[in-house]
Amino acid sequence: MTPEQEAFLAKKKEKAAARRAKPEEKANLGITSLMDIVSILVVYLLKSYASDPIVINPTAGQKIPMSTADAPIQDGIPIFVTTRGITFDSKKIVTMTPDGDIDPSQVQNHLIGPLYDQLAEEVDKAKQLAERQNKPWTGRVILVGDQDLKFSVLVDVMYTTGRAEFSEYSFCVIRKS
């Protein structure tokens, strides 16, 4: 080993020994920094929870109509009606014809059989829950329709929900600015 390499190694050992001999420093995080972090988290959580509590996720390819309505949507049971079918409780329960009408085998005098059956079950559950909580049951439906939906389909859906004891309707629209 050359004298330069030996000198380098000796110097390196001295530095390592000096680092080990130093007393350990304590890391201090100021209370101001912690308060900043907490206040930012509180503001974020308040903003996210204070926003509209009703979240509607349209089905794939669904075009929700635009409106100038300014009333906020009220809580209810969502029914998704598109030109391809009717979805309730994340299940497609009614299919449409290529023309955008409800399959005639599933409709009788404006009553959509499969939708009525599902809604009747939901009404029973909701009434039992409201009774246990000592709250009055309000039959409210949120109709999430497609902008290309035929009016006759909307009439059949509203008639069916009315027969299933739903009396209040909210229509999901996108607010024009």
Side-chain angles (χ1 to χ4, degrees):
M1 210 185 275
T2 64
E4 291 144 357
Q5 288 175 333
E6 287 177 8
F8 174 74
L9 287 176
K11 185 83 167 169
K12 190 174 178 182
K13 286 181 182 177
E14 284 178 32
K15 284 185 179 180
R19 272 196 307 267
R20 277 183 291 220
K22 252 189 201 177
E24 194 173 307
E25 291 181 17
K26 288 190 176 183
N28 289 328
L29 185 61
I31 191 75
T32 307
S33 301
L34 290 175
M35 289 303 293
D36 288 345
I37 292 169
V38 168
S39 61
I40 289 170
L41 284 173
V42 167
V43 168
Y44 169 76
L45 291 173
L46 285 175
K47 281 285 207 177
S48 60
Y49 287 117
S51 64
D52 199 6
I54 300 168
V55 176
I56 301 290
N57 295 319
T59 58
Q62 186 174 18
K63 294 181 244 162
I64 296 179
M66 303 289 277
S67 175
T68 57
D70 59 350
I73 196 165
Q74 296 179 350
D75 194 18
I77 297 173
I79 299 174
F80 298 88
V81 186
T82 68
T83 54
R84 292 183 309 278
I86 299 173
T87 305
F88 176 72
D89 199 22
S90 301
K91 290 179 261 179
K92 188 173 185 178
I93 55 175
V94 177
T95 56
M96 303 289 202
T97 64
D99 298 335
D101 291 315
I102 299 171
D103 185 3
S105 66
Q106 298 177 335
V107 180
Q108 187 174 32
N109 295 332
H110 295 291
L111 186 72
I112 306 167
L115 178 61
Y116 178 79
D117 295 340
Q118 292 286 322
L119 289 174
E121 285 180 32
E122 187 68 28
V123 166
D124 290 340
K125 290 179 200 174
K127 282 184 175 180
Q128 288 175 1
L129 181 65
E131 189 177 305
R132 277 189 249 133
Q133 295 176 345
N134 293 325
K135 293 181 179 178
W137 179 72
T138 55
R140 184 176 295 116
V141 171
I142 301 172
L143 291 173
V144 185
D146 195 290
Q147 71 182 19
D148 299 328
L149 194 64
K150 289 186 175 181
F151 183 71
S152 60
V153 172
L154 191 59
V155 168
D156 292 346
V157 170
M158 290 179 71
Y159 178 78
T160 303
T161 56
R163 288 287 304 270
E165 300 183 49
F166 289 95
S167 58
E168 296 179 24
Y169 301 94
S170 292
F171 293 93
C172 182
V173 293
I174 297 175
R175 186 178 301 153
K176 287 182 185 177
S177 23

